[in-house]
Amino acid sequence: MENIIIVLIFISAIAYLGNIVRKNFSFNDKAGCAKGCGSCGAIDFEKIAAEMEAKR
């Protein structure tokens, strides 16, 4: 019985790590970094550049 529980935990851990690797290497159209939160895609670089030019 203990062996079955250990095997299930091991398979779950491998599936979890596989999912992380799949997310890091999947090439999709979403902007942002590998964390997947999407906050990196919210940065408007053109607006920041315009504000920097206006301060000069």
Side-chain angles (χ1 to χ4, degrees), residues 42-56:
I43 298 173
D44 186 3
F45 291 109
E46 292 177 5
K47 180 180 177 184
I48 294 171
E51 289 176 359
M52 289 174 64
E53 288 293 325
K55 290 182 180 179
R56 285 186 181 185

Side-chain angles (χ1 to χ4, degrees), residues 14-41:
I14 294 296
Y16 176 74
L17 292 175
N19 190 28
I20 291 173
V21 170
R22 181 189 58 85
K23 284 182 180 180
N24 283 335
F25 291 108
S26 66
F27 297 104
N28 51 18
D29 294 335
K30 294 180 183 175
C33 57
K35 291 191 312 186
C37 64
S39 64
C40 299

